[in-house]
Amino acid sequence: MTVESLSIVEAILSSAVSAGTIYLIASVGECITERAGVINLGLEGIMAMGAITSFLLTLAYGHLVAIIGAALVGAVFGLLHALLSVSLRLNQIVVGLAITWLGLGLSGFMGAPEVARGLLKALNPSVPEYLAELKQAPRLPEMRMEPLSDVPLLGRTLFSQNALVYFGLASALVLWFILFKTRWGLSLRSVGENPALADTAGINIFAIRYLAVIVGSSLAGVAGAYLFIGYQPFWVEDLTRSRGFIALSLVILSSWSPLRAIAASFLFGGVETLQFRIPLRGFGAETPQLVMMLPYIITIVTLILISLASRGRIPAPAALGKPYSREE
Amino acid sequence: MEPMTEGLLQNLSPSPSPIPKIEMRGIVKRFPGVLANDNVDFTIYVGEVHALLGENGAGKTTLMNILYGIYTPDAGVIRINGSPVRLRSPRDAIKLGIGMVHQDFRLIEAHTVTENVFLNFDGLGFIPKWSALESRLEEIAANYGWRLNPRARVGDLSPGEKQQVELLKLLVRGADILLLDEPTSVLTPIETKMLFKTMRRMAEEGKSIVLITHKLSEAMSVSDRVTVMRRGRVVLSKPTREATVEELSTAMVGTQIANSLGQEQAGTRSADSAPVLRVSGLSVIGDEGVLAVRDVDLSVNRGEIVGVAGVSGNGQIELVEAIVGLRKPLRGRIVLNGVDVTGASPRKLMELGLTYIPPEGKKWGIVQELSIYENIALRIARYEPYSRMGVINWRRIMEVSEKVVSEFKVDTASIKARASSLSGGNVQRLILGRELTTSKPSLLVAAYPTKGLDIAATDHVKRILMRLRAENVGVLMLSEDLDEILELSDRIVVMYAGRVVGVVRRSEATPELLGLMMSRGVGAGASP
Ligand SMILES: Nc1ncnc2c1ncn2[C@@H]1O[C@H](COP(=O)(O)OP(=O)(O)OP(=O)(O)O)[C@@H](O)[C@H]1O
Ligand SMILES: [Mg+2]
């Protein structure tokens, strides 16, 4: 390989990782939520809320506060979801979609120039208000992990990224460990498989489902923050562009395992980056829509292939989407 | 009360006097319209296997559910080791050393044996030492002579092994009172033998075991003490060695039941009459994606009962599912009444004269949330006169439902009751009643039709099958009960590893021969 082609590969892989991290953080969280038996179709809206929160808070107080704030906003939306779907046992699909519309609408409103300006002023009066109207915020700085970042290929791909990329990888590893190796994880998975049985075994179904939805939603909030300050720090309406829904399907693709979610997310991040590179080579110049559809087509095809390979027996948590009530 | 005098007699006898472990006194439990337990006294002694017998709906499960803290009794007291206790939930019962294995398994199929056993186990630690736990399970399993891999996924286990997992759950929590609700109804004869060995060993270790069963032979062979319930009351309780089979069956049913069905048996019917079902070269893929049925040839004639024998998991279910249209065959042909129906839908088959009694009626045969008459409507509402131009005639359906319930003796307060309130045996009666009252089949395919039924209901089902045979219907029957197969079948098809390893005429069949074919796959040489 020549030095030049190596650096092209490096560039592609590295942007696969930075695009994939959006999906990684969100789908790792959703793995946890779904393993407890709740499906959160609100990811899209929560990501949008995370993004707008990180925009305003970065301007007001900087990156750290922005990330924590996005997580908290996600948690509040998760609490709302759990309240409706776990306690009131409303249909999870309906609740999730409602949260998506709420999040998309609210974030769009908050991002409108006059509103954003007002919000920024309220958050921190010492910051010049006009910054909000520029719709930009400083990007998260690259954090080189010396000496790992000097390793060829991997160094630039994995170890010369910003802090949230490392956070995404770490949360995948940690949550995988918790899910499959600890007592909590066993209880959580049991709630998603057979809540009635978990209940008689003395497990607090409601506590676990609340926690799982809130953790998953906070991570969706962080994914939104990453999308903005870590990936594309320029505010536009519909910044998320269905990425929440893609994260949802990547959970199936990774068969509900946070570890496999790493592979699925980066793979998908790669496909998405290629979509931007293909037109550069001239192909599809007249029909950009075709190329834009590529990631979605690939998702659908992979889902079909996976379900064929497992003969329709995708190991989804058996109680996924089913509200639990105690009465017999 | 009878148990009291029994206790006194025991004290006078030279054998070591039994120590009461659990005493239930004057237990009353009422459900809407049913008195499930009517002033029941029940005593379990230390180190005994106690058989609890009774017809469907006698109140056995209810009594055990009370002891396990699932139901609270309306009246009565429970004493453990002499002191009164209050059981508000299974958690309370487990703390007092009581464990129950339910009629249906309560396991998480996607999880491993170890994960199932130690789910929410006290003192597990945040990061459990899984390998230590696994070796602990291996130890217990070895103690009882089980071959059980703690790392196996429960969904991949046989019913016998799943039962061992249920027992492990109780054992690791230190249960010394084990309540087993019809544990043998899902087991093969070999697995049953194994379970009985385990139970005897547990009794030797000082544990007390309650075995609910419908089979008198099981009670006689494994128990130390036997109690019979009828219509919510205890009608007999005594040491097994002092009881006779006749006495027990009379106590269960209330009257003597005719023991011989023999006179009605045909078996001599001409075998060359037109086959109603002909299966040739049939191969079917099972859930695991491997061939479950391999190149099977089989026929059922009019007026003939063909029994399919085999250890469970040898392709019987997949074979039947392919015949009734629930599973697409990979290769081969299925011909019903001369029509090629390979791959036809269940509805088409139904209309061509096939009736199917599914296994595990509670799961596959009814919708638990619906009422009895709605369950019946599901089957017939499509046809005249039960509906006209898509509008259901509920009055007709109610009428036929009343008929099903009374003719098949479904024990329920009303046809408007939810199907989930029926006891296990009554569900089976409802399904049979529905299928046979509402259709005139030329072929009946019955998968384990007597599983979980009491003597009277089993007897009833057998009579129905024989009546159908007399009416020139062909019957294909799955059963794990060799005696039943021998009693009813004109021909017996033995399956092993997905293949038909032999077809035996009833006159030539013996339990030994069938057992050998079932366990080793040794053919009898007869051609299909
Ligand atoms: N949860 C319930 N609600 C209403 N009725 C019930 C309920 N559980 C049981 N019953 C009724 O109480 C009676 C006793 O039922 P139980 O399940 O104890 O019988 P069983 O002896 O275990 O019978 P089987 O051998 O068929 O399992 C039956 O008439 C049944 O319909
Ligand atoms: Mg019962």
Side-chain angles (χ1 to χ4, degrees), chain B residues 99-381:
Chain B
M100 180 159 175
V101 178
H102 298 269
Q103 250 166 310
D104 47 331
F105 293 128
R106 312 232 162 141
L107 297 169
I108 298 178
E109 305 239 309
H111 290 183
T112 66
V113 171
T114 314
E115 287 176 335
N116 266 283
V117 171
F118 289 102
L119 177 60
N120 209 32
F121 187 75
D122 286 336
L124 207 54
F126 181 64
I127 302 173
K129 297 192 179 54
W130 293 110
S131 61
L133 296 174
E134 279 161 5
S135 26
R136 188 160 149 207
L137 293 186
E138 264 159 5
E139 228 167 80
I140 302 177
N143 178 33
Y144 293 111
W146 304 338
R147 262 180 299 166
L148 188 67
N149 174 8
R151 280 172 294 273
R153 230 180 52 101
V154 163
D156 296 333
L157 301 182
S158 72
E161 291 168 323
K162 286 184 186 169
Q163 198 144 58
Q164 292 167 354
V165 180
E166 291 275 23
L167 289 172
L168 280 174
K169 285 207 294 199
L170 307 183
L171 292 172
V172 299
R173 285 168 175 82
D176 55 2
I177 303 150
L178 296 123
L179 317 176
L180 313 182
D181 196 353
E182 297 191 35
T184 60
S185 67
V186 292
L187 301 187
T188 62
I190 299 159
E191 288 173 331
T192 302
K193 222 175 239 168
M194 184 93 184
L195 173 67
F196 286 178
K197 229 175 77 193
T198 303
M199 284 165 55
R200 289 306 336 168
R201 181 156 175 115
M202 289 171 167
E204 272 165 37
E205 292 168 348
K207 299 188 187 342
S208 310
I209 296 129
V210 177
L211 166 74
I212 298 186
T213 177
H214 294 299
K215 297 193 184 119
L216 290 176
S217 60
E218 292 182 356
M220 294 304 285
S221 71
V222 75
S223 72
D224 301 300
R225 178 174 293 272
V226 54
T227 294
V228 179
M229 290 184 73
R230 187 171 76 231
R231 296 180 174 278
R233 293 167 170 268
V234 168
V235 289
L236 178 152
S237 188
K238 54 160 61 174
T240 310
R241 64 188 143 75
E242 293 166 16
T244 65
V245 172
E246 291 73 33
E247 177 185 18
L248 295 179
S249 64
T250 312
M252 280 168 71
V253 186
T255 55
Q256 209 99 28
I257 54 163
N259 207 8
S260 74
L261 298 152
Q263 66 273 31
E264 279 184 61
Q265 232 142 42
T268 50
R269 207 159 290 276
S270 59
D272 54 20
S273 53
V276 57
L277 174 75
R278 187 184 286 285
V279 171
S280 46
L282 188 73
S283 294
V284 183
I285 291 185
D287 284 339
E288 277 76 44
V290 292
L291 272 185
V293 176
R294 295 159 184 266
D295 204 21
V296 163
D297 294 328
L298 165 101
S299 69
V300 179
N301 296 316
R302 292 194 174 282
E304 178 187 49
I305 298 181
V306 174
V308 180
V311 176
S312 71
N314 274 282
Q316 303 96 307
I317 279 289
E318 291 83 355
L319 171 69
V320 159
E321 286 180 350
I323 292 174
V324 302
L326 291 174
R327 206 178 264 280
K328 282 251 180 304
L330 179 70
R331 278 189 299 274
R333 255 161 58 91
I334 302 168
V335 177
L336 177 66
N337 291 319
V339 182
D340 187 336
V341 292
T342 318
S345 72
R347 187 166 136 208
K348 172 110 190 288
L349 287 161
M350 228 158 73
E351 287 166 2
L352 284 170
L354 183 147
T355 286
Y356 175 48
I357 310 292
E360 291 183 73
K362 240 191 159 107
K363 205 159 148 196
W364 302 114
I366 56 165
V367 181
Q368 303 241 26
E369 291 73 22
L370 295 184
S371 66
I372 291 175
Y373 76 87
E374 284 166 328
N375 267 290
I376 291 174
L378 283 179
R379 175 72 164 80
I380 56 174

Side-chain angles (χ1 to χ4, degrees), chain B residues 31-32 34 36 54-63 71 103 182 214 411 421-426 452:
Chain B
F31 290 117
V34 195
E55 297 270 281
N56 294 137
K60 310 178 292 290
T61 300
T62 303
L63 186 66
Y71 296 147
Q103 250 166 310
E182 297 191 35
H214 294 299
D411 192 4
S421 72
L422 294 175
S423 79
N426 278 309

Side-chain angles (χ1 to χ4, degrees), chain A residues 61-173:
Chain A
Y61 300 109
H63 285 136
L64 186 62
V65 174
I67 294 168
I68 294 171
L72 287 177
V73 168
V76 169
F77 274 72
L79 185 67
L80 178 66
H81 191 300
L83 208 66
L84 297 172
S85 68
V86 178
S87 291
L88 298 180
R89 295 195 287 276
L90 299 182
N91 183 313
Q92 294 178 8
I93 307 291
V94 175
V95 170
L97 289 176
I99 284 184
T100 281
W101 302 136
L102 177 65
L104 287 177
L106 194 57
S107 62
F109 172 71
M110 286 164 71
E114 325 75 63
V115 184
R117 208 185 155 117
L119 285 171
L120 186 57
K121 187 174 177 188
L123 281 169
N124 189 347
S126 63
V127 176
E129 287 166 42
Y130 73 90
L131 280 180
E133 279 174 34
L134 294 181
K135 303 197 172 194
Q136 285 182 57
R139 188 194 273 271
L140 268 180
E142 190 175 280
M143 249 172 82
R144 291 171 63 84
M145 305 285 267
E146 308 276 6
L148 290 172
S149 50
D150 297 330
V151 179
L153 212 59
L154 272 189
R156 200 177 139 199
T157 314
L158 277 184
F159 300 110
S160 311
Q161 303 276 4
N162 66 45
L164 280 180
V165 175
Y166 307 133
F167 169 81
L169 284 166
S171 59
L173 295 175

Side-chain angles (χ1 to χ4, degrees), chain B residues 274-277 300-306 337 353 355 441-446 465 468-469 471-477:
Chain B
V276 57
L277 174 75
V300 179
N301 296 316
R302 292 194 174 282
E304 178 187 49
I305 298 181
V306 174
N337 291 319
T355 286
S442 56
L443 175 70
L444 175 77
V445 178
L465 296 183
L468 290 169
R469 167 170 61 190
E471 291 166 0
N472 229 15
V473 174
V475 177
L476 182 68
M477 174 182 80

